[in-house]
Amino acid sequence: MIEIEQFTCLSDNFGVLLHDAETGRTVSIDAPEAAAIQAALSRRGWKLTDIVVTHKHFDHIDGLKPLKDAYGCTIAGPKAEADAIGMLDEQLAEGDVYEAGSMTFSVIETPGHTLGQINYHCPQANALFAGDTLFSLGCGRLFEGSAGDMFASLEKLKALPPQTHLYCGHEYTRSNAAFALSVDPDNDALKVRADQVEALRAEGLPTLPVTLERELATNPFLRTGDAGIRAHLGMMDADDVAVFAELRARKDRF
């Protein structure tokens, strides 16, 4: 039995813990804020044994040292960013599998936001941990990679089972919904999702997790071939990467 605890870190980061009740292994996805993670562990009565890191940005690794000092946990993360992160006990690359008790985390390299970012698919939890690659109704900014890099990364994630639950690094869904509606205004599924997001945020509740199936129906960055989006952009005959690049550029200015 895998239990998942999701909570807020910093201002808008998500912390996520996975706990294997049979073995007692507890995994943190990234380490944005040590105090918030320790509070969540205390609430649940869990001991942190592992941290799996998605990428090098400070708001995903700032808690690594205090958590390592407190628990002696194993830290794994992207081989391509090992020097920048600096505390990895295990370096991971495309196709690797990190094991923690009965949980397995399949590594998917997803360059775009950073060149070395990796995502984790955990089938035992029916979950994808996408860091800052894929957000609900959005995707990460291209700080290092190209539009082609990010498009290819998202194509990998689209191939996962549609009922997989998406967990992301930040609570950005409300602002992403506003942009999505601006480029896909006739999408009824998107309108329903946007209304639900507003209701959740009004109650102070998270908008995640969400299924990949729902994202495939509503997230414009996963729907570059959609005729309605292409017509709205005036790009009916463009290739998918060009459409993606235009969407990302418009979101950057939104």
Side-chain angles (χ1 to χ4, degrees):
M1 177 181 173
I2 309 302
E3 300 175 72
I4 301 181
E5 178 84 1
Q6 178 181 254
F7 49 95
T8 300
C9 292
L10 303 174
S11 60
D12 58 23
N13 280 71
F14 279 118
V16 181
L17 296 171
L18 294 90
H19 179 72
D20 179 354
E22 183 176 350
T23 65
R25 294 284 285 271
T26 302
V27 179
S28 178
I29 308 299
D30 287 328
E33 184 183 9
I37 293 168
Q38 288 175 296
L41 290 163
S42 180
R43 283 196 304 272
R44 298 304 299 265
W46 298 341
K47 178 184 177 182
L48 186 65
T49 57
D50 305 79
I51 303 173
V52 293
V53 178
T54 61
H55 67 294
K56 64 187 177 183
H57 285 162
F58 78 94
D59 60 328
H60 293 258
I61 64 171
D62 197 50
L64 289 178
K65 186 179 187 308
L67 292 171
K68 180 76 165 181
D69 290 345
Y71 301 101
C73 50
T74 299
I75 302 174
K79 180 178 181 179
E81 296 185 351
D83 289 343
I85 295 167
M87 293 191 64
L88 299 183
D89 300 303
E90 187 167 339
Q91 299 180 16
L92 303 172
E94 179 80 22
D96 288 341
V97 176
Y98 184 79
E99 297 184 1
S102 65
M103 297 177 283
T104 58
F105 296 84
S106 297
V107 175
I108 306 168
E109 291 184 349
T110 56
H113 183 66
T114 67
L115 287 177
Q117 177 149 183
I118 60 177
N119 291 178
Y120 300 92
H121 178 227
C122 179
Q124 296 81 13
N126 190 32
L128 167 66
F129 302 99
D132 289 0
T133 300
L134 176 64
F135 296 116
S136 183
L137 305 180
C139 73
R141 284 181 177 269
L142 304 180
F143 287 124
E144 295 182 0
S146 67
D149 292 332
M150 183 65 97
F151 177 79
S153 295
L154 295 177
E155 288 293 293
K156 293 181 184 180
L157 303 186
K158 286 169 65 174
L160 293 171
Q163 292 307 311
T164 302
H165 289 98
L166 170 65
Y167 290 83
C168 310
H170 295 269
E171 178 59 270
Y172 287 164
T173 317
R174 175 184 270 166
S175 60
N176 286 344
F179 172 74
L181 287 167
S182 77
V183 295
D184 195 12
D186 300 320
N187 185 333
D188 289 338
L190 173 57
K191 294 174 186 176
V192 170
R193 172 68 171 149
D195 287 344
Q196 291 176 339
V197 166
E198 283 296 325
L200 287 167
R201 297 311 294 151
E203 296 273 334
L205 298 173
T207 62
L208 297 173
V210 62
T211 64
L212 285 180
E213 181 177 41
R214 197 160 194 196
E215 287 299 303
L216 289 167
T218 57
N219 188 330
F221 294 97
L222 302 182
R223 305 176 62 247
T224 54
D226 181 79
I229 293 175
R230 284 170 167 262
H232 188 84
L233 298 178
M235 301 181 73
M236 291 303 296
D237 298 324
D239 65 47
D240 283 329
V241 174
V243 173
F244 176 84
E246 178 64 18
L247 288 169
R248 186 60 257 180
R250 290 190 181 209
K251 179 62 168 66
D252 290 344
R253 300 190 299 267
F254 187 74

